[in-house]
Each structure stands twice: as structure tokens, then as C-alpha cells.
Amino acid sequence: MITQNDYLDAVRRELRDLDPRHREAVLADLREHFADAAEQGRSTEEISRALGTPREISERAYEEFGRSGSTAERLRTVLTVAAIVVAVITAVFVAFLLPSYTVADGTGDESTETLAAYLGFTAALVTLVPALVAAVPLVVPLRARGVTSLTVAIVLTFMAVVGGFTIGGFAVPIAMLAWAAVVVPRGARRGGFGVVAHIVGAVLVVSPFAVLARGILTGTVGLSAWGIMVVVVITALAVLIGFGVRAAGWLLLVIGAAMMIATLIFPSMLAVALWALGGVYVTIGGSHALAPARPHGSAAE
Amino acid sequence: MATTAEGIATGIRKGVLEFCVLALLEERERYGLELATELIDRELIASEGSLYPLLARMRDNDLVTTRSQPAGSGRPRRYYALTRAGREQLAAFADVWKRLGPQVDALVEGTS
């Protein structure tokens, strides 16, 4: 025997590619329809039969609105492409620009060479593997993209951890973006991100300062006026993100991208840290700027 | 030729359903079940459920608006009403139909 909840769940599943706002509107009307019809003495069975199949309702809905499941999938595409772009830049940087091999020439002098110069061009191509992995979700059939994204995020995280022992945290931004390509579409399907997600994002943005704070307290790190300003600006952006202000996401994205570009232009001792931190800001800022939000204070149904 | 007749009816219904909903709401505000029952009785929809995606889209286009009013049992009930844009849309349709309807009638008259 079909219950009202069975029926509504089936409709919700059929409507998964509809904009969440419209999906909830249709479901709310159907819930009322059930209640009103039941008051007239119709059985659940009769009501569901008269309503038609969930598939009929969803077909009508897609005729009216089009399939915007696409909203979620478009977000996944954007974030996946971002991961690929960052992965390619990382590969070029690590292989051709970063002096990472110390070579002793036998006369007592030492020089540092890049990976490509030391191991050869073909070996340097190996650095492109993360970019290839990151691209996989774009070539699988639509229905397999969700699972593929998750698998890719796990694989890239593994690679970032393993790579961390050799070339440092250069793969961190790629893994971060891959995770965003899993989480953001999921949130979009569920009707947008609420206050909890925004606070988590805000905490992630300021979390790197925890390391800094310890250094300052123990006196090993001193902040210049410039450094203090950066901390203040980032913290302010984190607070705004916590409140769901979209523009703060864009600004953080720009700051993160600037940090990554600066790393490429002026490789320094801090390159890896700056690159990884920039990647964190790009990912959280970009996700926050693009992801649909649920208005704060309204509970999800 | 039942399938042909059904196919023709489906096509025409699709074109006019939106305006029939507007006309029903012009009479008075109605709630979902009321509209669905009325449209089924007039053979304008085949199943009640297909009304709700249409209503959602019409509300999104600002042709109709909703209002919560307590029903008999005290449960708030969602009533649909016309907006100004909805009224204008209905008037525009009425104009078209008044010109087109008689033409179609004149053409098919005596055919059967």
C-alpha cells in the first residue's frame, strides 16, 4: 500500500533535476492536496491514483522549467575545470620552474635544477597525472559523475598526501577543488547551503591563523603592519562569509588567486605554504560565491 | 482512432490550460485541490498532479500569487489569486480567443 510519504518521496526523486525552489513549491502543493483530499474522505490510494504517476508530474515540471539539474552539474563542471587548470599550472611550475634538485658537480660547487632538467622532459610529464585524474568526471556519463567526482577527490587527496613528502603541498589546491566539486553540487541539489555550511566555511578560512597565533604567543613569529592588515582583511571576509555575504566569496577568491600567482612569480621559502593557502582561499571563496544559499533563519523542509 | 483524438486534445489543452487557470482564478481565489477538481471535471487536465508544476511556473512568472488562509480544520490552506500581470495576460488571451475561436469554428463546422 502506498503512503503519502512514499508518493512524495517518489516525486522528490523524479524532480531531482529541478531547481530546488520549484521542487519545494510543487511538493508543498502536493502535501496540501493530500490533506485537503483526505478531508473530503478520499483514501490515500485514490488520491495518488488521481494525481497521476510521479513520472507524469516530473515530465510536466521539466516541460515548464527545463532540467536545471544542470545547476548542480554546471557547478560541478566549473569546479572540475578549475581543478584541472590549477593542476596544469602546478605541473608546469613543479616541473619547469621550481629548482628542486640539488646537483653536486664534483668540484665542490652545488647547483639546483628543475625536475625537467634533472630527470628529463618525459619524466616531467608525470607531474601532469593529477590534471588527468581531475579531468575524469568530465568524460564519464552524467549519471556517473557524482560517484566519479567523489572517487577523484579521494585519489587526489591521496596523491597530495604522498606528494607532500617530496614536492610539498603543491597538490593541496587541486585536492581542495576536487572536494568542492563533490560538496557544492550536492548542496545545490539539496536546496542550497545554510548557516551551518557558511560557518564551517568561515572557520576554514581563518583556521590557518591558528598556527600563526601560536607563533605570536610564543614570540617566535612577529607580524609586520602589512601582515596584520592581511589577517584583519581575511578575518573580516570570513565573518561576512559566515553571514552568507556572497561578495565576500568573490573577494576571497581574488585574494587566493593573487597569492597563487605571486607564488609563481616570486618563488620563495614560503612558496608551498602560500600556494596551498591561496588554493584554500580560491576554493572556499569560489564555492561560496557560486553555490546557491538558503536564506538564514529558514529551516529546510 | 482514439489515440489521435487524445493526441489532438493533449496538444490543445497544453496551449490553453494556463489561461483556463487564470480564468478560474479571476472568478475567485481557489486552493490547489479545488482547481485540480474543476480542471478534471472540464477535461482540461488528464491527471490532477500535472496542475502543480504549472502553478509553480505561473507563480514564478508572477502571474499568480499565494496567500495562506486558515481552512475549516484550522490548518492554513494555500490560496491562489491573480496578480495584475496575470489579469493582463488573461485579457490578452481573451482577445486572441475571441478572434481565433470563431474562425476555427467556422472552418470545422459541417466537417463532421
Side-chain angles (χ1 to χ4, degrees):
Chain A
M1 227 204 72
I2 189 169
T3 69
Q4 176 182 332
N5 279 338
D6 290 341
Y7 187 88
L8 292 177
D9 283 345
V11 173
R12 184 186 292 278
R13 268 197 305 280
E14 290 286 343
L15 292 181
R16 63 182 173 275
D17 285 345
L18 200 68
D19 184 311
R21 212 159 38 91
H22 301 140
R23 183 174 55 214
E24 290 313 316
V26 170
L27 285 168
D29 267 342
L30 287 173
R31 247 175 254 125
E32 280 220 10
H33 183 102
F34 266 100
D36 285 326
E39 268 174 30
Q40 289 183 353
R42 285 157 73 176
S43 75
T44 311
E45 202 72 35
E46 286 168 335
I47 299 169
S48 350
R49 200 164 343 103
L51 278 172
T53 64
R55 177 57 64 87
E56 281 168 345
I57 295 179
S58 71
E59 273 168 8
R60 180 81 207 195
Y62 292 129
E63 269 172 40
E64 298 290 349
F65 294 106
R67 278 181 191 266
S68 86
S70 358
T71 310
E73 283 314 319
R74 258 200 310 277
L75 287 169
R76 197 196 305 283
T77 307
V78 169
L79 290 163
T80 304
V81 169
I84 298 167
V85 170
V86 170
V88 170
I89 296 173
T90 307
V92 172
F93 182 67
V94 168
F96 297 102
L97 299 174
L98 187 72
S100 50
Y101 286 84
T102 307
V103 184
D105 61 4
T107 62
D109 286 337
E110 282 185 348
S111 63
T112 51
E113 288 186 357
T114 62
L115 194 146
Y118 186 70
L119 293 177
F121 184 76
T122 320
L125 287 180
V126 172
T127 55
L128 278 172
V129 169
L132 290 176
V133 173
V136 173
L138 294 184
V139 295
V140 299
L142 197 60
R143 48 189 309 158
R145 278 179 96 190
V147 183
T148 312
S149 280
L150 181 63
T151 315
V152 163
I154 293 168
V155 171
L156 287 172
T157 305
F158 179 74
M159 288 173 128
V161 171
V162 171
F165 295 112
T166 55
I167 56 163
F170 281 103
V172 168
I174 311 170
M176 288 280 303
L177 284 164
W179 280 110
V182 174
V183 175
V184 173
R186 192 164 293 195
R189 281 237 157 77
R190 292 186 179 168
F193 288 91
V195 65
V196 176
H198 288 148
I199 290 173
V200 170
V203 169
L204 279 175
V205 170
V206 293
S207 58
F209 295 154
V211 183
L212 213 56
R214 216 179 65 188
I216 293 169
L217 287 179
T218 56
T220 50
V221 175
L223 272 186
S224 63
W226 181 238
I228 291 169
M229 203 186 81
V230 170
V231 171
V232 168
V233 168
I234 298 287
T235 308
L237 288 178
V239 170
L240 290 174
I241 285 174
F243 280 105
V245 179
R246 198 172 288 267
W250 287 117
L251 203 53
L252 189 67
L253 169 70
V254 170
I255 291 174
M259 287 169 70
M260 294 175 85
I261 292 167
T263 313
L264 295 179
I265 301 174
F266 316 107
S268 71
M269 296 285 290
L270 284 171
V272 173
L274 211 57
W275 178 260
L277 195 58
V280 171
Y281 292 165
V282 164
T283 307
I284 298 174
S287 302
H288 179 68
L290 294 171
R294 220 165 27 217
H296 283 188
S298 80
E301 280 188 273
Chain B
M1 297 300 275
T3 49
T4 311
E6 191 49 45
I8 293 169
T10 305
I12 294 177
R13 279 184 199 131
K14 224 170 240 168
V16 300
L17 180 59
E18 179 173 349
F19 305 102
C20 296
V21 170
L22 289 175
L24 283 170
L25 291 177
E26 161 122 282
E27 270 176 42
R28 61 185 165 84
E29 296 182 0
R30 291 168 201 259
Y31 55 94
L33 178 66
E34 229 182 339
L35 273 173
T37 313
E38 186 76 45
L39 292 167
I40 288 274
D41 287 349
R42 292 173 186 269
E43 292 185 42
L44 282 162
I45 49 176
S47 56
E48 294 175 337
S50 50
L51 166 68
Y52 295 112
L54 174 71
L55 280 178
R57 204 259 300 144
M58 288 170 74
R59 193 158 58 138
D60 198 46
N61 293 359
D62 201 30
L63 298 172
V64 298
T65 171
T66 55
R67 201 159 62 81
S68 249
Q69 238 183 13
S73 56
R75 181 174 56 80
R77 186 183 265 159
R78 187 141 72 151
Y79 277 86
Y80 281 87
L82 282 192
T83 63
R84 198 137 86 93
R87 236 175 276 279
E88 284 167 9
Q89 188 93 326
L90 178 60
F93 174 77
D95 273 349
V96 173
W97 190 255
K98 264 176 212 141
R99 278 183 287 124
L100 224 58
Q103 298 289 348
V104 177
D105 282 345
L107 283 172
V108 298
E109 209 167 294
T111 312
S112 54

